Amino acid sequence: MATNRIKNIVSKLLSDNYYILKKLTFDYLMKDGKWVTQAREVYDRGDGAGILLYNKEKQTVILTKQFRMPTYMNDNDDGFLVEIAAGMLDKDNPKACVIRETEEEVGYRIKEVKKVYEAYSSPGVMTEKMHFFIGEYTDAMKVNDGGGLDSEHEDIEVLEMPFKEVVNMLNTGKIVDTRTIVLLQYAMINKLLE
């Protein structure tokens, strides 16, 4: 993480209530050669991983639907989003995380997954790097009803839907979660269900 364009970094903890919010003040070397002092708030919630589960034979995908308070506060009338199964790494490696989250959230025990991307979620304010996976599922892999963990107060609805219907939802603005959009577009571009 070395660069000669920043110096004098001062970090001030603003909150560590659930995740960590810091105010960082630093000197930054502009491309014109001038040093300027900048201040940024940085939210560190750790890294995450998510997965698009698909079934070629049935031409379906599994998504989730759950309440997201920040979206409710920003123009999402009921606060619910249709999303991929995803979660925080919690000190796991990304592959172990998506396998764990798949069973917790949607009730399928999968073993084989493929990593297709990793990217920063919102680099202007968050440290989070998201790891994106795809995985094929069958009915035989279902081990429970999913729905999330009671201990985390998760209330997740499991959606097994025809891929064509999900693409229509994407194209009509009914899917607005960036992580989900990325993996659905990956599936479309790579003809995953053909």
Side-chain angles (χ1 to χ4, degrees):
M1 195 163 74
T3 178
N4 58 0
R5 294 188 67 180
I6 60 171
K7 65 182 183 181
N8 302 326
I9 301 169
V10 176
S11 177
K12 178 182 178 188
L13 181 66
L14 300 178
S15 174
D16 65 354
N17 191 31
Y18 193 65
Y19 297 117
I20 297 170
L21 178 63
K22 293 180 181 179
K23 179 178 181 181
L24 297 172
T25 307
F26 57 95
D27 294 331
Y28 177 79
L29 180 60
M30 303 289 285
K31 61 184 172 189
D32 66 5
K34 294 181 184 170
W35 285 95
V36 296
T37 299
Q38 296 189 359
R40 299 287 185 269
E41 288 185 2
V42 177
Y43 193 53
D44 183 352
R45 61 184 304 263
D47 293 340
I51 186 166
L52 178 65
L53 297 162
Y54 67 96
N55 183 304
K56 277 188 181 183
E57 182 181 325
K58 292 168 54 174
Q59 292 290 294
T60 54
V61 295
I62 293 179
L63 297 172
T64 66
K65 185 175 182 181
Q66 60 185 310
F67 181 76
R68 299 296 195 184
M69 177 55 89
T71 73
Y72 181 73
M73 295 176 62
N74 189 18
D75 202 30
N76 181 359
D77 291 340
D78 66 3
F80 284 87
L81 286 185
V82 174
E83 311 174 14
I84 56 173
M88 303 309 299
L89 295 188
D90 296 330
K91 300 184 183 172
D92 268 343
N93 66 59
K95 181 179 177 182
C97 173
V98 293
I99 289 171
R100 179 190 76 237
E101 291 293 333
T102 297
E103 188 167 336
E104 289 175 7
E105 292 193 359
V106 299
Y108 285 79
R109 186 171 293 148
I110 59 172
K111 293 184 177 146
E112 298 298 320
V113 297
K114 177 183 175 187
K115 185 173 182 179
V116 295
Y117 298 117
E118 69 180 58
Y120 290 99
S121 298
S122 184
V125 69
M126 291 176 58
T127 61
E128 180 186 42
K129 187 184 290 184
M130 191 71 186
H131 301 266
F132 295 91
F133 290 82
I134 57 171
E136 196 162 0
Y137 75 93
T138 66
D139 291 341
M141 295 174 180
K142 189 163 180 67
V143 295
N144 64 58
D145 291 334
L149 297 177
D150 290 338
S151 63
E152 295 179 6
H153 305 289
E154 292 179 311
D155 184 29
I156 298 169
E157 181 181 350
V158 180
L159 307 172
E160 182 178 30
M161 303 174 69
F163 184 62
K164 286 183 180 180
E165 184 180 330
V166 171
V167 169
N168 185 55
M169 289 173 69
L170 174 66
N171 291 334
T172 57
K174 293 183 177 126
I175 293 178
V176 293
D177 172 63
T178 304
R179 302 161 309 158
T180 305
I181 293 168
V182 165
L183 283 176
L184 290 174
Q185 288 181 337
Y186 175 88
M188 293 164 61
I189 291 166
N190 290 282
K191 301 178 181 0
L192 204 56
L193 280 94
E194 290 183 14

